[in-house]
Amino acid sequence: MIEIQSVDKSYFRAGQEIKVLIDLSLSLKVGSFTALMGPSGSGKSTLLNLIAGIDQPDSGSIVVNENQISVMSESELSRWRANNVGFIFQFYNLIPVLNVIENVELPLQLFNYNKNQRKEMALNAITKVGLLDRLDHKPNELSGGQQQRVAIARALVTKAPLIVADEPTGDLDRDSAEEILKLLQDLNTKQKQTIVMVTHDPKAAERANSIVSLEKGKLIGEKLS
């Protein structure tokens, strides 16, 4: 369960306080696929970063699977993220000089796995995204949809229970976007991954089983599909 209680978050720009999230409370179930929607500046990416332990609230509480991450130190958060969160970004964030299997293995460097174990785990994740025939390809030798599949495999490889995705289809054509959304949906339903996804696209949000809408830092609606 992800429990967010009375969370406030502000940033300061040019000495001016900008309130991004205001007294926000929200509960998300383990095993759910949630889409966070809202206009630019609504606070959805900030909320995603708080859930993932990338940032911390100014006040309020965030509990993810019984871990109160809102009171953790930076070092505690770093360890928690490594064990609990897989990240998927709009622009893939792959290392250009590494091939597919090397990119997928990267998160495993944080753990005490030997070379054979890392390779086996990476191959298992790559199999799930259907890219076994691209193991030796560099990112610039792949399509946008294939690069995002590599990024998803990298998010899966540590078997983290929570996957956060920030506009995962925002840089893809419609056909590639549909493939990625179908893959995320399968990971949720078949692998029981908890997924929280930021999106501007209503069609992408339809793949989730709940939609949370934000506006000006406040929760304005929740919808179960």
Side-chain angles (χ1 to χ4, degrees), residues 52-70:
I54 296 174
D55 205 351
Q56 289 185 303
D58 298 329
S59 61
S61 171
I62 301 175
V63 177
V64 182
N65 296 338
E66 300 183 355
N67 296 283
Q68 190 168 351
I69 63 173
S70 50

Side-chain angles (χ1 to χ4, degrees), residues 5-9 21-25 217-219:
Q5 293 290 331
S6 303
V7 160
D8 291 294
K9 183 64 182 180
L21 296 176
I22 304 167
D23 194 27
L24 190 143
S25 295
K218 295 184 178 181
L219 180 67

Side-chain angles (χ1 to χ4, degrees), residues 2 5 35 43 47 71 83 85 89 115-116 126 130 137 140 144 154 157 161 183 189 191 200-201 209 211 216:
I2 299 172
Q5 293 290 331
L47 177 57
V71 297
N83 286 283
V85 188
F89 305 96
K115 183 178 180 179
N116 289 336
I126 293 166
H137 287 63
N140 65 358
R154 183 183 57 192
V157 73
L183 177 56
T189 57
Q191 305 293 329
H200 282 96
D201 184 357
N209 50 44
I211 300 172
K216 296 181 179 179

Side-chain angles (χ1 to χ4, degrees), residues 1 17 24 35 46 53 57 61-62 88 112 116 118 133 149-150 161 175 207 222:
M1 181 72 77
E17 182 182 15
L24 190 143
T46 296
S61 171
I62 301 175
I88 304 170
N112 294 322
N116 289 336
R118 291 197 301 270
D133 59 339
R149 284 175 176 267
V150 177
D175 288 344
R207 295 298 186 116
E222 294 181 67

Side-chain angles (χ1 to χ4, degrees), residues 134-168:
R134 296 288 189 271
L135 295 181
D136 295 323
H137 287 63
K138 302 287 179 61
N140 65 358
E141 299 172 320
L142 303 172
S143 68
Q146 288 170 333
Q147 289 185 65
Q148 192 60 292
R149 284 175 176 267
V150 177
I152 292 172
R154 183 183 57 192
L156 292 175
V157 73
T158 61
K159 301 180 180 178
L162 171 64
I163 293 177
V164 297
D166 196 352
E167 296 283 3

Side-chain angles (χ1 to χ4, degrees), residues 109-123:
Q109 302 289 342
L110 299 173
F111 300 89
N112 294 322
Y113 297 117
N114 62 40
K115 183 178 180 179
N116 289 336
Q117 288 172 321
R118 291 197 301 270
K119 182 176 181 180
E120 181 180 354
M121 293 172 73
L123 287 173

